[in-house]
Amino acid sequence: MKRVLVLAGGGDKLPIESMQLKMIEQRVKMSISDIFDLIVGTSAGSINGALMASGRITAGTSHDLAMKNLPDIFKKRFFRIPKYDRKKVSNLLHDNIGPHLQMEDMDTRFMSTSFGLVSGRTHYFKSWEPKDGKLALTEVVCRSFAAPLFFGSMIDPIEKEVWMDGGCGGANSPLRQAWVEINRQGWDDKRIHILSLGCGWSDYSMSYKDAIRARAGKQVMAFLSPKHGGLARAESIRSSVQDMREIARTKRNVTFQHSDQKIPAKMDKMDAVEYNDTYEGIGYALSRNIDYSKLIQQNY
């Protein structure tokens, strides 16, 4: 059996994922990098995924570091754009996995997303590819959470590209590309289990009555929704999950589980640090519903 872990973006809601990862390691009694053959992440999911794929840190330690440092990371720099200091994240990564770790040094395959403003498309950095493998892990992760208003884009003079948060495109949950990679790896004839972890979601739908009354300005703001990343970002997760469920339904060798839950709109923000303890509790509750039988070593 091949196991694939897909981690969605979510800013400061990262503890929802990291707590689930902590509980997976505790229940299975194996490191995340030993459980999964491929880890794919976007933005906050890229941070969680990189730490786990590196094998240099346990999920428990990673989660505890997040809970301790997120309030400082998301300390606003008033009257400045971007609002937060990227170096606080990169320094934390350097301190815990080393400043010179390259993508090729991962304990398991790792793929991270970033949106290229020049090319106008999402790029998928892959630890097993020769070119991407030589990139510093911290650099790749920073490209993935480079949200314009929050941490700022990253200029790449070598590739002549400007990298933005991977969730700026349609891959805030990179499930579709994970499926593409499963087939590229030649695993399509093996038993596959895909576990997708989210960072909470709120309902952006509205009644028909409200929709027909919505003026152009309200429609535009709903689509852009800077606070939440826009309707395209939110809808991409729902569509990807629905597509993956259909694949699992029609292919006998594929099983799929998506672990996430609806949260109040006031909590569905990229930097609501006042809810960190609540996010942690949500992650713990979600972990109780994970199908651990698909993750134990005997399934190989």
Side-chain angles (χ1 to χ4, degrees), residues 202-279:
S202 57
D203 194 350
Y204 293 89
S205 63
M206 63 179 71
S207 69
Y208 175 69
K209 186 176 181 179
D210 289 339
I212 61 176
R213 289 179 176 178
R215 296 183 180 275
K218 186 174 181 179
Q219 293 174 8
V220 170
M221 286 308 298
F223 180 77
L224 295 175
S225 186
K227 182 171 61 175
H228 302 291
L231 282 180
R233 175 187 173 107
E235 191 274 337
S236 70
I237 295 181
R238 290 190 183 185
S239 296
S240 298
V241 170
Q242 183 177 348
D243 289 348
M244 199 64 248
R245 284 179 174 150
E246 182 63 18
I247 289 171
R249 187 185 69 83
T250 57
K251 291 186 175 292
R252 297 178 62 182
N253 65 316
V254 178
T255 54
F256 170 66
Q257 183 176 13
H258 180 61
S259 183
D260 201 4
Q261 77 172 49
K262 182 178 178 180
I263 60 177
K266 66 180 181 180
M267 292 171 52
D268 191 15
K269 301 177 182 177
M270 299 298 104
D271 55 355
V273 294
E274 64 270 26
Y275 296 112
N276 280 359
D277 290 341
T278 305
Y279 296 146

Coordinates of all heavy atoms in Angstrom, one line a residue, residues 202-279:
S202 N -15.6 27.7 6.5 CA -16.9 28.3 6.8 C -17.7 28.3 5.5 O -17.2 28.2 4.4 CB -16.8 29.7 7.4 OG -16.0 30.6 6.5
D203 N -19.0 28.4 5.6 CA -19.9 28.3 4.5 C -20.1 29.6 3.8 O -20.5 30.6 4.4 CB -21.3 27.8 5.0 CG -22.2 27.3 3.9 OD1 -21.8 27.5 2.7 OD2 -23.2 26.7 4.2
Y204 N -19.7 29.7 2.5 CA -19.8 30.9 1.7 C -21.0 30.9 0.9 O -21.2 31.9 0.1 CB -18.5 31.0 0.8 CG -17.2 31.3 1.6 CD1 -16.5 30.2 2.0 CD2 -16.8 32.5 1.9 CE1 -15.3 30.4 2.7 CE2 -15.7 32.7 2.6 CZ -14.9 31.7 3.0 OH -13.8 31.9 3.8
S205 N -21.8 29.9 0.9 CA -23.0 29.9 0.1 C -24.0 30.8 0.7 O -23.9 31.3 1.8 CB -23.6 28.5 0.1 OG -24.0 28.0 1.4
M206 N -25.1 31.2 -0.1 CA -26.1 32.0 0.4 C -27.4 31.6 -0.3 O -27.4 30.7 -1.2 CB -25.9 33.5 0.0 CG -25.8 33.8 -1.5 SD -25.5 35.5 -1.9 CE -23.8 35.7 -1.4
S207 N -28.5 32.0 0.3 CA -29.8 31.6 -0.2 C -30.0 32.2 -1.6 O -29.4 33.2 -2.0 CB -30.9 32.1 0.7 OG -31.1 33.5 0.7
Y208 N -30.9 31.6 -2.4 CA -31.3 32.1 -3.7 C -31.8 33.5 -3.6 O -31.5 34.4 -4.4 CB -32.3 31.2 -4.3 CG -32.8 31.7 -5.7 CD1 -32.0 31.7 -6.8 CD2 -34.1 32.1 -5.8 CE1 -32.5 32.2 -8.0 CE2 -34.6 32.6 -7.0 CZ -33.8 32.6 -8.1 OH -34.3 33.1 -9.3
K209 N -32.6 33.8 -2.6 CA -33.2 35.1 -2.4 C -32.1 36.1 -2.2 O -32.1 37.2 -2.8 CB -34.1 35.1 -1.2 CG -34.9 36.4 -1.0 CD -35.9 36.2 0.2 CE -36.7 37.5 0.4 NZ -37.7 37.3 1.5
D210 N -31.1 35.8 -1.3 CA -30.0 36.8 -1.1 C -29.1 36.9 -2.3 O -28.6 38.0 -2.6 CB -29.2 36.3 0.1 CG -29.9 36.4 1.4 OD1 -30.8 37.2 1.5 OD2 -29.5 35.7 2.4
A211 N -28.9 35.8 -3.1 CA -28.1 35.9 -4.2 C -28.6 36.8 -5.3 O -27.9 37.5 -5.9 CB -27.9 34.5 -4.8
I212 N -29.9 36.7 -5.6 CA -30.5 37.5 -6.6 C -30.6 39.0 -6.2 O -30.7 39.9 -7.1 CB -31.9 37.0 -7.1 CG1 -32.9 37.1 -5.9 CG2 -31.8 35.6 -7.6 CD1 -34.3 36.7 -6.3
R213 N -30.5 39.3 -4.9 CA -30.5 40.6 -4.4 C -29.1 41.2 -4.3 O -29.0 42.4 -4.1 CB -31.2 40.7 -3.0 CG -32.7 40.4 -3.1 CD -33.3 40.5 -1.7 NE -34.8 40.4 -1.7 CZ -35.5 40.3 -0.6 NH1 -34.9 40.4 0.6 NH2 -36.8 40.2 -0.7
A214 N -28.1 40.4 -4.4 CA -26.8 40.9 -4.3 C -26.4 41.8 -5.4 O -26.5 41.4 -6.6 CB -25.8 39.7 -4.2
R215 N -26.0 43.0 -5.1 CA -25.5 43.9 -6.1 C -24.1 43.6 -6.6 O -23.4 42.8 -6.0 CB -25.6 45.4 -5.6 CG -27.0 45.8 -5.3 CD -27.1 47.3 -4.8 NE -28.4 47.7 -4.5 CZ -29.3 48.1 -5.4 NH1 -29.0 48.2 -6.6 NH2 -30.5 48.5 -5.0
A216 N -23.7 44.3 -7.7 CA -22.4 44.0 -8.3 C -21.3 44.1 -7.3 O -20.4 43.3 -7.2 CB -22.2 44.8 -9.5
G217 N -21.3 45.2 -6.4 CA -20.3 45.4 -5.5 C -20.2 44.2 -4.5 O -19.1 43.8 -4.1
K218 N -21.3 43.8 -4.0 CA -21.3 42.6 -3.0 C -20.8 41.4 -3.7 O -20.1 40.6 -3.1 CB -22.7 42.4 -2.5 CG -22.7 41.4 -1.4 CD -24.1 41.3 -0.8 CE -24.2 40.3 0.4 NZ -25.5 40.2 1.0
Q219 N -21.2 41.2 -5.0 CA -20.7 40.0 -5.7 C -19.2 40.0 -5.9 O -18.5 39.0 -5.7 CB -21.4 39.9 -7.1 CG -22.9 39.7 -7.0 CD -23.5 39.7 -8.4 OE1 -22.8 39.9 -9.4 NE2 -24.8 39.7 -8.4
V220 N -18.6 41.2 -6.2 CA -17.2 41.4 -6.4 C -16.5 41.1 -5.1 O -15.5 40.4 -5.0 CB -16.8 42.8 -6.9 CG1 -15.3 43.0 -6.8 CG2 -17.3 42.9 -8.3
M221 N -17.0 41.6 -3.9 CA -16.3 41.5 -2.6 C -16.4 40.0 -2.2 O -15.5 39.5 -1.6 CB -17.0 42.4 -1.6 CG -16.6 43.8 -1.8 SD -14.8 44.1 -1.8 CE -14.3 43.5 -0.3
A222 N -17.5 39.3 -2.5 CA -17.6 37.9 -2.2 C -16.6 37.1 -3.0 O -16.0 36.2 -2.4 CB -19.0 37.4 -2.5
F223 N -16.4 37.5 -4.2 CA -15.4 36.8 -5.0 C -14.0 37.0 -4.6 O -13.1 36.1 -4.4 CB -15.5 37.2 -6.5 CG -14.5 36.5 -7.4 CD1 -14.7 35.2 -7.8 CD2 -13.4 37.1 -7.9 CE1 -13.8 34.5 -8.6 CE2 -12.5 36.5 -8.7 CZ -12.7 35.2 -9.1
L224 N -13.7 38.3 -4.2 CA -12.3 38.7 -3.8 C -12.1 38.2 -2.4 O -11.0 37.6 -2.1 CB -12.1 40.2 -4.0 CG -12.1 40.7 -5.4 CD1 -12.0 42.2 -5.4 CD2 -11.0 40.1 -6.2
S225 N -13.0 38.6 -1.5 CA -12.9 38.3 -0.1 C -11.5 38.3 0.5 O -10.9 37.2 0.8 CB -13.6 36.9 0.2 OG -13.6 36.7 1.6
P226 N -10.8 39.4 0.5 CA -9.3 39.4 0.9 C -9.1 38.7 2.2 O -8.0 38.1 2.4 CB -9.0 40.9 0.9 CG -10.0 41.6 0.1 CD -11.3 40.8 0.2
K227 N -10.0 38.8 3.2 CA -9.9 38.3 4.5 C -9.7 36.8 4.5 O -9.0 36.1 5.2 CB -11.0 38.7 5.4 CG -10.9 38.2 6.8 CD -12.0 38.8 7.7 CE -13.4 38.5 7.2 NZ -14.5 39.0 8.1
H228 N -10.4 36.1 3.5 CA -10.5 34.7 3.5 C -9.7 34.1 2.3 O -9.6 32.9 2.2 CB -11.9 34.2 3.4 CG -12.8 34.6 4.5 ND1 -12.6 34.2 5.8 CD2 -13.8 35.5 4.6 CE1 -13.5 34.8 6.6 NE2 -14.2 35.6 5.9
G229 N -9.3 34.9 1.4 CA -8.5 34.4 0.2 C -9.4 34.3 -1.1 O -8.9 33.9 -2.1
G230 N -10.6 34.7 -1.0 CA -11.5 34.7 -2.2 C -12.3 33.4 -2.3 O -11.9 32.4 -1.8
L231 N -13.4 33.5 -3.1 CA -14.2 32.4 -3.3 C -13.5 31.3 -4.1 O -13.7 30.1 -3.9 CB -15.5 32.8 -4.1 CG -16.6 33.5 -3.3 CD1 -17.7 33.8 -4.2 CD2 -17.0 32.6 -2.2
A232 N -12.6 31.7 -5.0 CA -11.9 30.6 -5.8 C -11.1 29.8 -4.9 O -11.0 28.5 -5.1 CB -11.0 31.3 -6.9
R233 N -10.4 30.4 -3.9 CA -9.6 29.6 -2.9 C -10.5 28.7 -2.1 O -10.2 27.5 -2.0 CB -8.9 30.6 -2.0 CG -8.0 29.9 -0.9 CD -7.5 31.0 0.0 NE -6.9 30.5 1.2 CZ -5.6 30.5 1.4 NH1 -4.8 31.0 0.5 NH2 -5.1 30.0 2.5
A234 N -11.6 29.2 -1.6 CA -12.5 28.4 -0.8 C -13.1 27.3 -1.6 O -13.2 26.1 -1.1 CB -13.5 29.3 -0.1
E235 N -13.6 27.6 -2.8 CA -14.2 26.6 -3.6 C -13.3 25.5 -4.1 O -13.7 24.4 -4.3 CB -14.9 27.3 -4.8 CG -15.9 26.5 -5.6 CD -15.2 25.6 -6.7 OE1 -14.1 26.0 -7.1 OE2 -15.8 24.6 -7.1
S236 N -12.0 25.8 -4.2 CA -11.1 24.8 -4.8 C -11.0 23.6 -3.8 O -10.8 22.5 -4.3 CB -9.7 25.5 -4.9 OG -9.1 25.8 -3.7
I237 N -11.1 23.9 -2.5 CA -11.0 22.7 -1.6 C -12.2 21.8 -1.7 O -12.1 20.6 -1.8 CB -10.9 23.3 -0.1 CG1 -9.6 24.0 0.1 CG2 -11.0 22.1 0.9 CD1 -9.3 24.5 1.5
R238 N -13.4 22.4 -1.8 CA -14.6 21.6 -1.9 C -14.6 20.8 -3.2 O -14.9 19.6 -3.2 CB -15.9 22.5 -1.9 CG -16.1 23.2 -0.5 CD -17.5 23.9 -0.6 NE -17.8 24.5 0.7 CZ -18.9 25.1 1.0 NH1 -19.9 25.1 0.1 NH2 -19.1 25.7 2.1
S239 N -14.2 21.4 -4.3 CA -14.2 20.7 -5.6 C -13.2 19.6 -5.6 O -13.4 18.5 -6.1 CB -13.9 21.7 -6.7 OG -14.9 22.7 -6.8
S240 N -12.0 19.9 -5.0 CA -10.9 18.9 -5.0 C -11.4 17.7 -4.2 O -11.1 16.5 -4.5 CB -9.6 19.5 -4.4 OG -9.2 20.5 -5.3
V241 N -12.0 17.9 -3.0 CA -12.4 16.9 -2.1 C -13.5 16.0 -2.8 O -13.5 14.8 -2.8 CB -12.9 17.4 -0.8 CG1 -13.6 16.3 0.0 CG2 -11.8 18.0 0.0
Q242 N -14.4 16.7 -3.5 CA -15.5 16.0 -4.2 C -14.9 15.2 -5.3 O -15.4 14.0 -5.5 CB -16.5 17.0 -4.8 CG -17.7 16.4 -5.5 CD -18.7 17.4 -5.9 OE1 -18.6 18.6 -5.6 NE2 -19.6 17.0 -6.8
D243 N -14.0 15.7 -6.0 CA -13.3 14.9 -7.1 C -12.6 13.7 -6.6 O -12.7 12.6 -7.2 CB -12.3 15.8 -7.9 CG -13.0 16.9 -8.7 OD1 -14.2 16.8 -8.9 OD2 -12.3 17.8 -9.2
M244 N -11.9 13.9 -5.5 CA -11.2 12.7 -4.9 C -12.1 11.7 -4.4 O -11.8 10.5 -4.5 CB -10.3 13.2 -3.8 CG -9.1 12.3 -3.4 SD -8.0 12.1 -4.8 CE -8.2 10.4 -5.2
R245 N -13.2 12.1 -3.8 CA -14.2 11.1 -3.3 C -14.8 10.3 -4.5 O -15.0 9.1 -4.4 CB -15.3 11.8 -2.6 CG -14.9 12.2 -1.2 CD -16.0 13.0 -0.4 NE -15.6 13.2 0.9 CZ -16.1 14.3 1.7 NH1 -16.9 15.1 1.1 NH2 -15.7 14.4 2.9
E246 N -15.0 10.9 -5.6 CA -15.5 10.2 -6.8 C -14.5 9.2 -7.3 O -14.8 8.1 -7.7 CB -15.9 11.3 -7.9 CG -16.4 10.7 -9.1 CD -17.8 10.0 -8.9 OE1 -18.4 10.2 -7.9 OE2 -18.1 9.2 -9.8
I247 N -13.2 9.6 -7.3 CA -12.1 8.7 -7.7 C -12.1 7.5 -6.8 O -12.0 6.4 -7.3 CB -10.8 9.5 -7.7 CG1 -10.7 10.5 -8.9 CG2 -9.6 8.4 -7.9 CD1 -9.5 11.4 -8.8
A248 N -12.2 7.7 -5.5 CA -12.1 6.6 -4.6 C -13.4 5.7 -4.7 O -13.3 4.5 -4.5 CB -12.1 7.1 -3.2
R249 N -14.5 6.3 -5.1 CA -15.7 5.5 -5.3 C -15.6 4.6 -6.5 O -16.2 3.5 -6.5 CB -16.9 6.5 -5.5 CG -18.3 5.8 -5.5 CD -19.4 6.7 -5.8 NE -19.3 7.2 -7.1 CZ -19.9 6.6 -8.2 NH1 -20.4 5.4 -8.0 NH2 -19.8 7.1 -9.4
T250 N -14.9 5.1 -7.6 CA -14.9 4.3 -8.8 C -13.7 3.4 -9.0 O -13.7 2.6 -9.8 CB -15.0 5.3 -10.0 OG1 -13.9 6.2 -9.9 CG2 -16.3 6.1 -10.0
K251 N -12.7 3.6 -8.1 CA -11.4 2.8 -8.2 C -11.3 1.9 -7.0 O -11.2 2.4 -5.9 CB -10.2 3.7 -8.4 CG -10.2 4.4 -9.8 CD -8.9 5.2 -10.0 CE -8.8 5.8 -11.3 NZ -8.7 4.7 -12.4
R252 N -11.3 0.7 -7.2 CA -11.3 -0.3 -6.1 C -10.0 -0.3 -5.3 O -10.0 -0.7 -4.1 CB -11.6 -1.7 -6.6 CG -12.9 -1.9 -7.3 CD -13.1 -3.3 -7.9 NE -13.1 -4.3 -6.8 CZ -13.2 -5.6 -7.0 NH1 -13.3 -6.0 -8.2 NH2 -13.2 -6.4 -6.0
N253 N -8.9 0.2 -5.9 CA -7.7 0.2 -5.2 C -7.4 1.5 -4.4 O -6.3 1.6 -3.8 CB -6.5 -0.1 -6.2 CG -6.4 1.1 -7.2 OD1 -7.4 1.6 -7.7 ND2 -5.1 1.5 -7.4
V254 N -8.3 2.4 -4.4 CA -8.1 3.7 -3.8 C -9.1 3.9 -2.6 O -10.3 3.7 -2.8 CB -8.3 4.9 -4.8 CG1 -8.1 6.2 -4.1 CG2 -7.2 4.7 -6.0
T255 N -8.5 4.3 -1.5 CA -9.4 4.8 -0.4 C -9.0 6.2 0.0 O -7.8 6.6 -0.2 CB -9.2 3.9 0.9 OG1 -7.8 3.8 1.2 CG2 -9.8 2.5 0.6
F256 N -9.9 7.0 0.5 CA -9.7 8.4 0.7 C -10.5 8.9 1.9 O -11.6 8.5 2.2 CB -10.2 9.2 -0.5 CG -10.2 10.7 -0.3 CD1 -9.1 11.4 -0.1 CD2 -11.5 11.4 -0.3 CE1 -9.1 12.8 0.1 CE2 -11.5 12.8 -0.1 CZ -10.3 13.5 0.1
Q257 N -9.8 9.7 2.7 CA -10.4 10.3 3.9 C -10.0 11.8 4.0 O -8.9 12.1 3.9 CB -10.1 9.6 5.2 CG -10.8 10.2 6.4 CD -10.5 9.5 7.7 OE1 -9.6 8.6 7.8 NE2 -11.3 9.7 8.7
H258 N -11.0 12.6 4.1 CA -10.8 14.1 4.3 C -11.2 14.4 5.7 O -12.4 14.2 6.1 CB -11.6 14.9 3.3 CG -11.5 16.3 3.4 ND1 -10.3 17.0 3.2 CD2 -12.4 17.3 3.7 CE1 -10.4 18.3 3.4 NE2 -11.7 18.5 3.7
S259 N -10.3 15.0 6.5 CA -10.5 15.3 7.9 C -10.5 16.8 8.1 O -9.5 17.4 8.1 CB -9.4 14.6 8.8 OG -9.7 14.9 10.1
D260 N -11.7 17.3 8.2 CA -11.9 18.8 8.4 C -13.3 19.1 8.9 O -14.1 18.1 9.0 CB -11.7 19.5 7.0 CG -11.3 21.0 7.1 OD1 -11.2 21.4 8.2 OD2 -11.2 21.6 6.1
Q261 N -13.5 20.3 9.3 CA -14.9 20.6 9.8 C -15.2 22.0 9.6 O -14.3 22.9 9.4 CB -15.1 20.2 11.3 CG -14.4 21.2 12.2 CD -14.8 20.8 13.7 OE1 -14.7 19.7 14.1 NE2 -15.3 21.8 14.4
K262 N -16.5 22.3 9.6 CA -17.0 23.7 9.4 C -16.7 24.4 10.7 O -16.9 23.9 11.8 CB -18.5 23.7 9.1 CG -19.1 25.0 8.9 CD -20.6 24.9 8.6 CE -21.2 26.3 8.4 NZ -22.7 26.2 8.1
I263 N -16.3 25.7 10.6 CA -16.0 26.5 11.8 C -16.8 27.9 11.6 O -17.1 28.2 10.5 CB -14.5 26.8 12.0 CG1 -13.9 27.5 10.8 CG2 -13.8 25.5 12.3 CD1 -12.4 27.8 11.0
P264 N -17.1 28.6 12.7 CA -17.7 29.9 12.5 C -16.9 30.8 11.6 O -15.7 30.8 11.7 CB -17.8 30.4 14.0 CG -17.7 29.2 14.8 CD -16.8 28.2 14.1
A265 N -17.6 31.7 10.9 CA -16.9 32.6 10.0 C -15.9 33.5 10.7 O -14.9 33.9 10.2 CB -18.0 33.5 9.3
K266 N -16.2 33.9 12.0 CA -15.3 34.7 12.7 C -14.0 34.1 13.0 O -13.0 34.7 13.3 CB -16.0 35.2 14.0 CG -16.2 34.0 15.0 CD -16.9 34.6 16.3 CE -17.1 33.4 17.3 NZ -17.7 33.9 18.6
M267 N -14.0 32.7 13.0 CA -12.7 32.0 13.2 C -12.0 31.6 11.9 O -10.9 31.2 11.9 CB -13.0 30.7 14.0 CG -13.5 30.9 15.4 SD -14.1 29.4 16.2 CE -12.7 28.3 15.8
D268 N -12.7 31.8 10.8 CA -12.1 31.4 9.5 C -11.3 32.5 8.9 O -11.7 33.1 7.9 CB -13.2 31.0 8.5 CG -12.7 30.3 7.3 OD1 -11.5 29.9 7.3 OD2 -13.5 30.2 6.3
K269 N -10.2 32.9 9.6 CA -9.3 33.9 9.2 C -7.9 33.4 9.2 O -7.6 32.4 9.8 CB -9.4 35.1 10.1 CG -10.9 35.7 10.2 CD -10.9 36.9 11.2 CE -12.3 37.4 11.4 NZ -12.4 38.5 12.4
M270 N -7.0 34.2 8.5 CA -5.7 33.7 8.3 C -4.8 34.1 9.5 O -3.7 33.6 9.7 CB -5.0 34.4 7.1 CG -5.7 34.0 5.8 SD -5.6 32.2 5.4 CE -7.3 31.7 5.8
D271 N -5.3 35.0 10.4 CA -4.4 35.5 11.5 C -5.2 35.7 12.8 O -4.9 36.6 13.5 CB -3.7 36.8 11.1 CG -4.7 37.9 10.6 OD1 -5.9 37.6 10.5 OD2 -4.2 39.0 10.3
A272 N -6.2 34.9 13.1 CA -7.0 35.0 14.3 C -6.3 34.2 15.4 O -6.8 33.2 15.9 CB -8.4 34.5 14.0
V273 N -5.2 34.7 15.9 CA -4.4 34.0 16.9 C -5.2 33.8 18.2 O -4.8 32.9 19.0 CB -3.1 34.7 17.2 CG1 -2.2 34.7 16.0 CG2 -3.3 36.2 17.7
E274 N -6.2 34.6 18.5 CA -7.0 34.5 19.7 C -7.7 33.2 19.8 O -8.2 32.8 20.9 CB -8.0 35.7 19.9 CG -9.1 35.8 18.8 CD -8.7 36.6 17.6 OE1 -7.5 36.7 17.3 OE2 -9.6 37.1 17.0
Y275 N -7.8 32.5 18.6 CA -8.5 31.2 18.6 C -7.6 30.0 18.6 O -8.0 28.9 18.3 CB -9.5 31.1 17.4 CG -10.6 32.2 17.4 CD1 -10.6 33.2 16.5 CD2 -11.6 32.1 18.4 CE1 -11.6 34.2 16.5 CE2 -12.6 33.0 18.4 CZ -12.6 34.1 17.5 OH -13.6 35.0 17.5
N276 N -6.3 30.2 18.8 CA -5.3 29.1 18.7 C -5.7 27.9 19.6 O -5.6 26.7 19.1 CB -3.9 29.6 19.0 CG -3.3 30.3 17.8 OD1 -3.9 30.5 16.8 ND2 -2.1 30.8 18.0
D277 N -6.1 28.1 20.8 CA -6.5 27.0 21.7 C -7.7 26.3 21.1 O -7.8 25.0 21.2 CB -6.8 27.5 23.1 CG -5.5 28.0 23.8 OD1 -4.4 27.6 23.4 OD2 -5.6 28.7 24.8
T278 N -8.6 27.0 20.5 CA -9.8 26.4 19.9 C -9.4 25.6 18.7 O -9.9 24.5 18.5 CB -10.8 27.5 19.5 OG1 -11.1 28.3 20.7 CG2 -12.1 26.8 19.0
Y279 N -8.5 26.1 17.9 CA -8.0 25.4 16.7 C -7.4 24.1 17.2 O -7.6 23.0 16.5 CB -7.0 26.2 15.9 CG -7.5 27.5 15.3 CD1 -6.7 28.6 15.2 CD2 -8.8 27.6 14.8 CE1 -7.1 29.8 14.6 CE2 -9.3 28.7 14.2 CZ -8.4 29.9 14.2 OH -8.9 31.0 13.6

